[in-house]
Amino acid sequence: MKSLRIIRFFLLAGIWLFAGIPVTAQLKNNSAKSFSFVKKELNSGLVFSVTSDREELRTNKSFNYEEWLTGAAGYRWENRSQIYLPFRHEEWNYLFEAGPFFGKGELIDSFSSKVIDAETKLAGLRGLARAAYSSRFYFDDKNYTIVHTNVWAQYDLFRQNAEGTLMDSNRVTTPYDVRSEHSDFRVGIQARAGWGIGRLNPVNHFATASLLLEKYYPGRLFSEVEVVEVAREIGRIKHLRDARSGHSAEKELEALGEFLRKRFLLEPPASALHDWELTEFRPRFHGTRFEFGPFFNYLNIEPDFVYGGYAKFENQKYCSSKWNRNLSAGISYNGYKKQDWILLETMLGWNWFPNLKTEYGFGVKYIPGMEVDGLDDLGKVRHNIVPYLEYFKQVNSKYRIETALAWRIAPNDQFMLPGPEVSLSVYRSRY
């Protein structure tokens, strides 16, 4: 009964959250709903990551469990496209990555005749390929359908050293020291479809217009309508780019200066070329949307096939050219051949832009989960918290640095494996 009361609390809190915040995707004067954002990137560079991983396999006769803290480095090539138009929002990307990895962890291998308990070290080479596609098609200003797919394949070739103990069927314990070579092929498919209402509008060009006008025309007060006009002109100029052939920042700035001269009788901004080249920060959004639908995830390891339904609420607010606030809450019912569970994922975070070059992100995720054996047999709620930090820097017009740090705080490893998530990317971007 206690677990049932907790579920009711979460549901009531979610209903209050959805009802208490109006579903709107507009800045003042409804100006954001017609914003567009189109960007295609070719990125290549170095990536480094540290994360906690585990793998478990149970049968009627055996139990195998491995857990590692793994570090990986590699070279990545990525093609990424982001298209946000009034009638469709579309994202797709594919990447290839290859490089060394290493790890340290624990191995438990149990059979009817023996039990192995050992500390392990592993090192090897890893190759990864991934392709993802997401599309939201709008029937009108608010209503849309969604299709999302994510397919990946990973191949590891590595050497593993295991040192520990082996206990046979007579409960006799002997030292265990084995060095072996392995190869693992992993493939995963994630897919979901659904329906939604509302929209998140891209406000990158609005932020760019606000920053440039504030810096280069400090004595002039611009109305929001005027800033919107400049933002749309910035979008028109940038959307003509071709990532493969490149673009001329000088010609783009000349076109913007000509627009300012004709429309507002302003002198073109002098010495603004450096700032213009640094207006390529990651997408920013303003608005609210709510969506729901079915999903399924497939892996060629346990848990191999998970299916169910989800509902997700997202609210992002453009507070100013310096700040964005992000809020989301999603609940999912996950069906699995051995055990069903319910997961609630909530997030509250902020993004701070102290200048054109830099973006800081920080916040916290709260992810409670519960096992479900039936409507009358609900498990205990497990509370998981993930504080996170992000950093993005445009070194110049070509090179980027992205870092992310998160720490999973979990009472056990039932829904989430405790430990760090660290990533660092240093790459060159053509757009």
Side-chain angles (χ1 to χ4, degrees):
M1 295 300 295
K2 181 179 179 181
S3 298
L4 186 58
R5 288 196 298 270
I6 293 175
I7 288 182
R8 289 175 178 170
F9 169 78
F10 284 140
L11 291 176
L12 290 174
I15 293 172
W16 175 84
L17 183 63
F18 297 153
I21 301 178
V23 179
T24 176
Q26 321 301 328
L27 292 171
K28 294 179 181 178
N29 302 327
N30 294 330
S31 54
K33 73 177 185 179
S34 60
F35 284 167
S36 297
F37 180 79
V38 177
K39 188 175 184 182
K40 298 182 179 181
E41 301 176 341
L42 297 174
N43 300 323
S44 59
L46 301 177
V47 294
F48 175 79
S49 64
V50 176
T51 187
S52 300
D53 295 307
R54 66 179 173 188
E55 185 172 320
E56 182 177 333
L57 178 61
R58 293 176 182 266
T59 68
N60 295 331
K61 298 181 178 180
S62 65
F63 167 69
N64 179 270
Y65 179 87
E66 295 187 56
E67 181 180 319
W68 317 275
L69 180 65
T70 305
Y75 177 83
R76 175 182 292 176
W77 182 90
E78 179 185 33
N79 188 323
R80 180 165 54 192
S81 179
Q82 299 162 321
I83 302 172
Y84 302 99
L85 300 174
F87 61 92
R88 68 183 172 104
H89 291 179
E90 191 173 41
E91 298 180 39
W92 58 266
N93 79 297
Y94 53 88
L95 64 85
F96 302 93
E97 185 178 316
F101 75 97
F102 51 91
K104 182 179 180 180
E106 180 183 5
L107 165 66
I108 300 176
D109 203 351
S110 175
F111 300 88
S112 57
S113 59
K114 62 180 180 179
V115 177
I116 299 170
D117 188 350
E119 298 290 328
T120 66
K121 295 180 181 179
L122 50 89
L125 297 175
R126 170 172 294 168
L128 173 67
R130 183 188 303 273
Y133 174 79
S134 177
S135 175
R136 290 176 174 85
F137 177 80
Y138 279 84
F139 297 102
D140 51 36
D141 284 346
K142 293 183 177 181
N143 299 284
Y144 64 90
T145 59
I146 178 175
V147 174
H148 173 83
T149 59
N150 182 20
V151 181
W152 59 270
Q154 177 178 298
Y155 181 76
D156 293 345
L157 181 64
F158 61 97
R159 172 172 293 178
Q160 184 175 25
N161 299 338
E163 297 183 9
T165 59
L166 184 152
M167 185 172 63
D168 61 22
S169 57
N170 296 321
R171 306 187 67 83
V172 176
T173 301
T174 58
Y176 181 82
D177 188 353
V178 174
R179 288 162 175 76
S180 56
E181 295 182 352
H182 301 270
S183 63
D184 283 339
F185 178 72
R186 299 288 181 251
V187 61
I189 301 173
Q190 298 174 310
R192 70 175 185 265
W195 302 264
I197 183 171
R199 67 169 65 218
L200 298 181
N201 285 302
V203 292
N204 279 52
H205 302 323
F206 186 85
T208 297
S210 299
L211 289 165
L212 293 179
L213 293 175
E214 179 182 347
K215 179 175 181 178
Y216 289 97
Y217 304 98
R220 169 74 182 267
L221 295 178
F222 294 90
S223 69
E224 184 188 340
V225 174
E226 291 175 323
V227 178
V228 168
E229 288 187 58
V230 177
R232 290 173 180 164
E233 177 63 15
I234 291 174
R236 186 195 67 81
I237 294 171
K238 289 190 173 186
H239 297 168
L240 297 175
R241 293 172 174 175
D242 187 328
R244 297 188 180 276
S245 60
H247 62 276
S248 171
E250 292 86 352
K251 292 182 179 179
E252 290 181 342
L253 191 59
E254 288 177 5
L256 179 62
E258 184 67 13
F259 171 81
L260 294 173
R261 185 183 66 81
K262 290 182 177 180
R263 177 63 183 85
F264 301 108
L265 303 178
L266 295 173
E267 288 294 325
S271 66
L273 181 61
H274 179 68
D275 286 337
W276 175 260
E277 292 180 333
L278 295 177
T279 58
E280 305 302 325
F281 34 77
R282 298 180 296 183
R284 297 177 64 176
F285 297 99
H286 177 84
T288 303
R289 69 186 178 202
F290 173 74
E291 61 188 38
F292 62 95
F295 73 89
F296 77 86
N297 300 328
Y298 168 79
L299 286 171
N300 63 341
I301 57 174
E302 298 282 351
D304 51 2
F305 185 75
V306 178
Y307 62 93
Y310 79 98
K312 186 174 183 179
F313 167 86
E314 295 176 271
N315 174 263
Q316 298 193 29
K317 184 177 181 181
Y318 175 85
C319 302
S320 69
S321 59
K322 301 281 188 181
W323 287 95
N324 251 62
R325 193 263 296 138
N326 310 311
L327 172 67
S328 68
I331 189 169
S332 62
Y333 186 93
N334 302 264
Y336 182 50
K337 61 187 178 184
K338 296 180 181 179
Q339 181 71 64
D340 294 356
W341 66 90
I342 296 174
L343 204 63
L344 176 65
E345 301 182 57
T346 64
M347 186 273 288
L348 176 62
W350 292 265
N351 294 89
W352 177 44
F353 305 82
N355 51 55
L356 285 173
K357 284 186 174 183
T358 311
E359 173 187 350
Y360 294 94
F362 56 92
V364 63
K365 300 176 183 179
Y366 171 57
I367 310 175
M370 174 191 298
E371 287 187 347
V372 178
D373 291 319
L375 294 178
D376 298 326
D377 190 3
L378 303 176
K380 181 181 178 181
V381 176
R382 305 290 184 179
H383 304 277
N384 309 287
I385 300 175
V386 185
Y388 70 89
L389 295 171
E390 296 177 343
Y391 173 74
F392 172 73
K393 184 177 182 64
Q394 303 179 78
V395 179
N396 52 41
S397 62
K398 296 180 180 179
Y399 289 94
R400 311 283 184 259
I401 298 176
E402 289 187 46
T403 63
L405 169 64
W407 196 277
R408 301 186 295 256
I409 304 171
N412 55 34
D413 58 2
Q414 187 172 11
F415 297 103
M416 182 182 298
L417 190 63
E421 289 182 345
V422 181
S423 65
L424 168 65
S425 302
V426 181
Y427 59 94
R428 178 176 180 176
S429 181
R430 295 169 54 192
Y431 48 89

